[in-house]
Amino acid sequence: MTSFFEEETTLFADLILPVPIPSLFTYRVPREMSELIKVGARVIVQFGKKRVITAVIANIHTNPPLKYQAKYILELLDEQPIVTARQLELFKWVAEYYLCNIGEVLNVALPAGLKITSQSRIQLNPEFDYEELLTEQEKLILEEIKKHQTLSYEEVERLIAKSNITSVIKSLVGKRAIILFEEVKERYKPKVVRKVRLGASFMDNDALVKLTSSLDKVPKQQEIVLRYLSHVPVYNNPELNQKGLDKSFFSQDDKISNASLNSLIKKGVFEQFEIFVSRFEDVPLKDGAVITLTESQKEASAQIHDLFAEKEVVLLHGITGSGKTEVYIELIKQALQSGTQVLFLLPEIALTTQIVVRLRKVFGDVMGIYHSKFSDNERVEVWKGILDGKFQFVVGVRSAIFLPFNNLGLIIVDEEHETSYKQHEPAPRYNARDVAVIMSYMHKGKVLLGSATPSLESYYHAKNGRYGLVEMTQRFGNAALPAFELIDIKKEKKQRKMKNEFSSVLLENLEHNLKNKEQTILFQNRRGYSPYLQCEECHWISECANCDVSLTYHMRVGELRCHYCGHKEEVPRTCPNCGSTKVKTMGYGTEKIEDEINLMFPQARVQRMDLDTTRAKNAYQQIIQEFEDGGIDILVGTQMVSKGLDFDNVSMVGIFDADRIIHFPEFRASERAFQMLTQVSGRAGRRAEKPGKVLIQTANPAQKLLERIITNDYTGMYEAEIAEREKFNYPPFTRLIKVTVKHTDEPVSNKAAKILAEKLTAELGASRVLGPQPPLVERVRNQFLFDILIKLEREKINFKAVKSFIQEKVIDVLTDKTLKSIQVVIDVDCL
Ligand code: ADP
Ligand code: ZN
Ligand code: ZN
């Protein structure tokens, strides 16, 4: 050994492990890795006794940890970082701000396909067909997989005794013999096409002639070569050979055996190669008319552009159908031309459809799509595509904020008021809209928030000059906003004109629309057939055994279901309490409306769109497509029908139960109701030639909020609400932190919450701490919940210090022996 090696210092790496643990872990870097290792690369390490997990390198240094003996890193997975320096900075910020661990952020950020853990299982790659590449040990593993279909990491470990399991698995993955997948997740379907082409030495015509005649003795092989040549006429155009022919082309033909083809490959007559095909080719690249911006769109995009010179964030407040998407497209083009990356965030549900098709038309292959209904592997493809520079532009849901951008010039957050930008479970409980703003600071980029019904927070910032504000007040093509009609159901009930949930006015209009072959959307923000069953004799109500909430009756599947914990039961034939047969459905959801329409208008084509009908991967898209193509007359749905959809032929929207939405017991109820009802109404009359109508059924037509909705008076709503918020110290004047205490024992949960609230109040003052109080649903999954709400003024308060104070107090409570089994969830900027 030379002195050079002896003097070389040992390197250590601080790693982020994707687990809920507060700190980084230091591991020792094996000498042979020290040249290759980089911050942001993934490594595999042992964690705990048995587990092997993927971690990401956060720092590299020469200081051994003081408190423990550092273990060696087992494997380095990437030669180039897959997490950028900017991302690490962002993850750290998110962990600090939302009071969670950076490992939890990493866990949400990294697609499962980039993680190998001991929970991973392996399966055979169905397309693997060269066993000769494998070592004896690897063959052994493959034999086992064939026997059992899949194997867990531990099972592999047992099989190969002393060897290094991760390197064996890595080798098998490298040879594409096996596929890793997360146990509960969809399995990997590699989108690789295997191909063959002629070996280079046969690429002149003489060699080809020689080859074919030399194969006279092996006619099967000769046949293959001739088939190849007839499909890829390389003698005319040698370039064609580059692209080769799909291997599957030969396997479809029973006259051709795989063995013959393989012999030709062994001889070097053919060479095998693989190409990766993008999964995004599934989104059709339709072409359409070239769009020129209208004057008001041009003006809006110019205003936004100018405002970006002085503001980090601009809010585009444009009424439904004003053509905001085209304005976004213009700005995305400009940003891409200037060489920066662009991220376009959309709420979960809006993403699978129309808007993606519109964007792909314009941006084609530079656009990546990031969506939770995509498989892990599709997500990995986007992740890597951004790192490689393939995707300069990504349209995605909230978690797309964690993708590996390094030069993000513009983030657009469409429908910025949507609550689905906020993650509830698990931590980090982040709001992607707010993280976008921080991220743009880091990238020195800009954020455009867009909505027809902005959140009070964003509009407040815009009014106060913190954000720029641009307004679009006309619908595209001079289409008018729909005409509204409020239907007094109290009156109709008195006059006995109602038919179940339907007012006579609604029914007349429905009939009229059907006759005119125009489409209708019916909105009821509640799924299932009816929210509960009730016994007429003893007033028993169907309730969940695990939660304090009624069980919803789902008629189609004949079940009672809990919408909180997923518990299911059969429908009782008689009252479980008194045995009476008079058990009635109470209230109504989308399923009941659909059912009643089917009875009253048997000729109408009805479709329902809610969580229950859209669980399958493409179901949502299919319904939208069918509605667009005119295959559906009446679409019944929950708020899912309102999300950014753009239909030509919808001339009527009917809204049930508006009062329930307006009077939801929550301080944001008016804002939410305004947003929801305006958005769903906005689906009507989007074409100038087909004016729209919105019918709202209510027991109280005189409500101020309804007047504001039907006159599209956002400002009126805003001013009334903001005054209330100011008076009672609610956002945007304060930031809210909700601390929820959970325990299966009600008194324990209650006691812990009380003690915690006292400790918080002692320091923060009674005006800043509300509760503890049980939330609307007091028990979920058998745990009793208590909420403490902390309101902190935006100014003059050291938010960071208060947050660590809250954390300290939580730890204090947890150190009490009788309370240590409680669970505490802290939700910063709760919604
Ligand atoms: P918003 O998102 O503001 O509700 P959209 O962007 O969906 O509105 O636009 C409403 C409709 O008007 C869409 O069908 C869109 O294709 C059409 N549209 C908007 N701008 C133009 C334009 N400049 N040229 C042609 N069609 C347009
Ligand atoms: Zn009963
Ligand atoms: Zn339940």
Side-chain angles (χ1 to χ4, degrees):
M1 186 159 306
T2 67
S3 60
F4 172 74
F5 275 111
E6 277 156 9
E7 277 164 25
E8 198 181 38
T9 41
T10 311
L11 290 183
F12 292 89
D14 298 337
L15 305 182
I16 309 173
L17 305 182
V19 290
I21 284 180
S23 53
L24 300 182
F25 278 79
T26 307
Y27 281 76
R28 190 185 291 262
V29 180
R31 191 148 289 172
E32 69 275 12
M33 236 180 251
S34 54
E35 297 263 298
L36 295 171
I37 205 155
K38 292 191 181 86
V39 168
R42 288 171 307 155
V43 292
I44 292 185
V45 294
Q46 179 115 28
F47 181 68
K49 279 230 174 62
K50 276 249 134 176
R51 278 177 87 189
V52 195
I53 59 180
T54 313
V56 168
I57 303 172
N59 306 299
I60 300 171
H61 55 80
T62 55
N63 313 316
L66 297 176
K67 294 189 185 152
Y68 53 93
Q69 175 84 29
K71 285 188 212 147
Y72 275 106
I73 290 175
L74 299 176
E75 281 292 337
L76 175 65
L77 290 179
D78 311 299
E79 289 182 8
Q80 294 306 323
I82 60 132
V83 174
T84 65
R86 287 258 166 76
Q87 275 179 296
L88 289 175
E89 201 188 336
L90 182 75
F91 295 173
K92 209 168 135 224
W93 184 91
V94 169
E96 274 176 23
Y97 186 86
Y98 291 103
L99 298 180
C100 66
N101 304 301
I102 191 166
E104 291 172 303
V105 184
L106 182 71
N107 197 29
V108 164
L110 272 192
L114 289 176
K115 290 180 266 189
I116 301 173
T117 76
S118 48
Q119 276 99 47
S120 298
R121 295 185 72 85
I122 60 180
Q123 68 170 84
L124 205 65
N125 181 347
E127 295 183 49
F128 180 72
D129 56 7
Y130 3 63
E131 302 237 340
E132 58 279 7
L133 294 175
L134 301 180
T135 67
E136 285 310 307
Q137 194 177 43
E138 289 169 347
K139 281 185 190 156
L140 172 76
I141 297 176
L142 242 57
E143 284 313 308
E144 276 300 300
I145 303 181
K146 282 182 191 157
K147 263 187 244 160
H148 302 285
Q149 306 289 329
T150 70
L151 287 184
S152 72
Y153 241 67
E154 285 86 353
E155 285 162 339
V156 177
E157 202 166 29
R158 255 175 261 137
L159 269 180
I160 58 172
K162 287 171 241 91
S163 320
N164 181 343
I165 171 174
T166 46
S167 62
V168 175
I169 288 187
K170 208 179 141 193
S171 159
L172 282 168
V173 171
K175 291 173 184 170
R176 295 230 174 74
I178 59 165
I179 293 165
L180 300 177
F181 64 95
E182 294 287 329
E183 193 153 20
V184 289
K185 300 258 168 67
E186 170 184 353
R187 296 191 190 179
Y188 184 48
K189 289 191 220 82
K191 264 234 167 162
V192 196
V193 175
R194 297 169 162 242
K195 305 193 109 180
V196 291
R197 63 185 163 217
L198 276 181
S201 51
F202 299 97
M203 281 310 291
D204 70 79
N205 284 352
D206 285 350
L208 262 183
V209 172
K210 244 193 218 150
L211 168 69
T212 35
S213 56
S214 80
L215 290 175
D216 280 347
K217 274 162 276 153
V218 266
K220 282 182 178 168
Q221 294 181 20
Q222 194 177 45
E223 173 73 18
I224 294 177
V225 174
L226 293 176
R227 288 276 178 103
Y228 182 84
L229 291 175
S230 70
H231 278 85
V232 189
V234 295
Y235 39 85
N236 286 338
N237 181 0
E239 304 229 317
L240 292 176
N241 194 49
Q242 270 322 85
K243 284 197 171 166
L245 201 57
D246 289 8
K247 233 179 141 185
S248 61
F249 170 78
F250 295 107
S251 58
Q252 283 156 9
D253 190 331
D254 354 308
K255 273 188 237 136
I256 289 172
S257 80
N258 217 7
S260 313
L261 183 60
N262 282 342
S263 328
L264 284 168
I265 292 169
K266 263 199 190 137
K267 284 187 207 165
V269 173
F270 283 117
E271 56 182 42
Q272 296 203 75
F273 65 108
E274 287 170 343
I275 56 163
F276 287 92
V277 281
S278 167
R279 296 184 149 88
F280 302 107
E281 279 157 17
D282 297 349
V283 178
L285 236 183
K286 288 183 200 163
D287 36 44
V290 178
I291 292 211
T292 34
L293 295 191
T294 62
E295 280 312 309
S296 84
Q297 286 168 327
K298 273 188 208 151
E299 202 181 305
S301 64
Q303 278 176 7
I304 294 166
H305 188 268
D306 291 349
L307 279 167
F308 275 152
E310 43 187 291
K311 310 272 183 195
E312 306 300 324
V313 184
V314 172
L315 172 64
L316 172 60
H317 176 209
I319 63 168
T320 57
S322 57
K324 294 185 285 297
T325 313
E326 298 306 328
V327 176
Y328 301 147
I329 289 173
E330 175 63 23
L331 291 159
I332 295 166
K333 278 187 192 159
Q334 288 172 11
L336 290 175
Q337 263 158 25
S338 77
T340 67
Q341 297 164 314
V342 177
L343 171 62
F344 186 165
L345 292 177
L346 283 166
E348 190 71 42
I349 196 71
L351 194 61
T352 41
T353 50
Q354 298 179 321
I355 203 155
V356 172
V357 174
R358 267 166 88 182
L359 292 169
R360 238 182 85 85
K361 216 186 304 185
V362 182
F363 298 103
D365 291 335
V366 304
M367 180 178 110
I369 308 167
Y370 202 69
H371 190 264
S372 67
K373 285 217 170 151
F374 286 168
S375 67
D376 287 336
N377 303 287
E378 289 168 310
R379 283 192 258 180
V380 174
E381 226 173 76
V382 177
W383 188 289
K384 294 203 161 153
I386 295 169
L387 287 173
D388 303 344
K390 181 176 171 213
F391 297 131
Q392 280 290 102
F393 169 37
V394 175
V395 38
V397 294
R398 64 168 182 249
S399 60
I401 200 84
F402 295 128
L403 286 167
F405 298 104
N406 58 22
N407 175 26
L408 195 52
L410 176 65
I411 308 175
I412 293 172
V413 186
D414 192 21
E415 313 288 358
E416 66 84 32
H417 64 279
E418 277 282 335
T419 52
S420 66
Y421 284 122
K422 170 88 174 166
Q423 169 145 324
H424 293 287
E425 211 45 54
R429 297 178 171 81
Y430 66 103
N431 187 323
R433 177 196 64 202
D434 302 341
V435 174
V437 174
I438 293 303
M439 187 136 139
S440 73
Y441 278 116
M442 292 177 178
H443 287 258
K444 302 194 168 40
K446 302 291 172 189
V447 177
L448 178 62
L449 306 177
S451 175
T453 52
S455 63
L456 283 202
E457 280 87 344
S458 297
Y459 203 71
Y460 175 74
H461 292 321
K463 281 279 165 201
N464 288 328
R466 213 169 113 190
Y467 297 171
L469 178 63
V470 173
E471 314 238 15
M472 290 171 78
T473 53
Q474 293 299 318
R475 276 191 154 181
F476 169 74
N478 280 328
L481 278 173
F484 284 82
E485 187 171 342
L486 299 175
I487 306 165
D488 188 340
I489 51 168
K490 250 194 192 151
K491 201 158 116 198
E492 282 226 355
K493 270 183 190 155
K494 237 184 239 155
Q495 300 168 342
R496 302 189 178 276
K497 280 164 61 185
M498 297 281 291
K499 255 195 191 158
N500 296 326
E501 289 64 51
F502 293 81
S503 61
S504 63
V505 183
L506 184 55
L507 285 177
E508 279 154 26
N509 278 280
L510 260 176
E511 214 172 320
H512 176 260
N513 244 28
L514 279 171
K515 229 179 246 152
N516 284 345
K517 303 212 176 322
E518 292 180 3
Q519 291 175 305
T520 303
I521 291 178
L522 294 180
F523 172 71
Q524 161 67 335
N525 201 27
R526 183 176 240 168
R527 67 192 166 92
Y529 189 87
S530 69
Y532 59 102
L533 298 181
Q534 188 168 35
C535 169
E536 281 190 0
E537 308 273 342
C538 75
H539 304 295
W540 165 89
I541 282 178
S542 59
E543 272 174 346
C544 178
N546 313 318
C547 315
D548 270 346
V549 68
S550 63
L551 288 173
T552 301
Y553 172 48
H554 288 255
M555 187 186 66
R556 285 288 156 84
V557 289
E559 272 174 356
L560 296 176
R561 287 184 181 173
C562 173
H563 290 179
Y564 279 75
C565 73
H567 169 82
K568 296 173 187 173
E569 297 179 5
E570 260 181 51
V571 183
R573 284 167 192 278
T574 55
C575 170
N577 189 38
C578 72
S580 155
T581 50
K582 289 187 181 157
V583 178
K584 285 247 152 113
T585 64
M586 302 296 285
Y588 59 101
T590 44
E591 215 183 278
K592 185 157 189 233
I593 291 178
E594 181 196 15
D595 201 47
E596 280 170 4
I597 298 226
N598 278 328
L599 291 175
M600 290 185 287
F601 304 101
Q603 78 285 11
R605 295 163 303 171
V606 186
Q607 176 61 260
R608 171 163 54 96
M609 187 158 83
D610 56 26
L611 206 62
D612 298 315
T613 61
T614 54
R615 283 184 216 272
K617 186 169 176 176
N618 292 318
Y620 181 75
Q621 214 157 350
Q622 277 162 9
I623 296 176
I624 302 286
Q625 191 61 51
E626 206 185 337
F627 195 50
E628 223 171 50
D629 295 343
I632 298 169
D633 301 312
I634 301 172
L635 185 64
V636 182
T638 55
Q639 50 174 319
M640 229 178 236
V641 297
S642 71
K643 312 278 172 184
L645 296 172
D646 184 44
F647 300 112
D648 287 346
N649 198 29
V650 175
S651 57
M652 175 177 140
V653 169
I655 298 175
F656 293 88
D657 223 354
D659 302 325
R660 198 172 54 91
I661 300 168
I662 295 171
H663 298 292
F664 198 73
E666 204 253 335
F667 77 88
R668 287 191 172 90
S670 297
E671 177 188 356
R672 293 276 155 74
F674 187 93
Q675 287 162 342
M676 206 185 284
L677 300 182
T678 304
Q679 292 288 348
V680 69
S681 306
R683 301 314 113 200
R686 292 171 73 88
R687 298 294 173 272
E689 61 279 12
K690 197 158 276 175
K693 186 169 191 180
V694 179
L695 303 178
I696 303 181
Q697 297 196 157
T698 170
N700 181 6
Q703 299 173 83
K704 196 75 193 164
L705 191 73
L706 280 177
E707 185 191 316
R708 293 198 166 111
I709 290 168
I710 69 179
T711 53
N712 193 34
D713 183 13
Y714 176 84
T715 331
M717 182 282 293
Y718 170 80
E719 268 155 17
E721 279 307 295
I722 205 85
E724 293 276 298
R725 302 278 180 97
E726 184 162 27
K727 196 161 143 206
F728 298 104
N729 288 323
Y730 276 106
F733 299 95
T734 51
R735 295 173 203 265
L736 294 185
I737 299 177
K738 188 167 78 187
V739 183
T740 305
V741 176
K742 306 181 181 182
H743 197 272
T744 46
D745 208 0
E746 201 261 0
V748 174
S749 187
N750 195 357
K751 181 179 165 201
K754 269 193 184 136
I755 296 177
L756 182 57
E758 272 162 26
K759 286 175 190 280
L760 294 172
T761 312
E763 191 75 19
L764 300 172
S767 65
R768 296 202 183 92
V769 182
L770 298 186
Q773 63 204 12
L776 224 51
V777 178
E778 303 177 17
R779 188 176 50 117
V780 175
R781 293 171 205 276
N782 276 321
Q783 294 205 302
F784 290 88
L785 313 185
F786 287 91
D787 285 345
I788 301 167
L789 196 61
I790 303 157
K791 303 196 255 180
L792 301 166
E793 306 90 290
R794 290 194 148 259
E795 321 295 328
K796 288 184 281 188
I797 279 204
N798 183 342
F799 196 47
K800 216 167 158 177
V802 174
K803 283 190 296 187
S804 34
F805 167 76
I806 296 172
Q807 267 181 319
E808 272 167 39
K809 294 302 134 191
V810 169
I811 292 167
D812 277 1
V813 174
L814 286 168
T815 48
D816 180 331
K817 261 198 241 93
T818 61
L819 302 177
K820 67 172 194 283
S821 56
I822 59 164
Q823 245 180 297
V824 181
V825 172
I826 307 178
D827 187 353
V828 178
D829 294 339
C830 60
L831 285 183

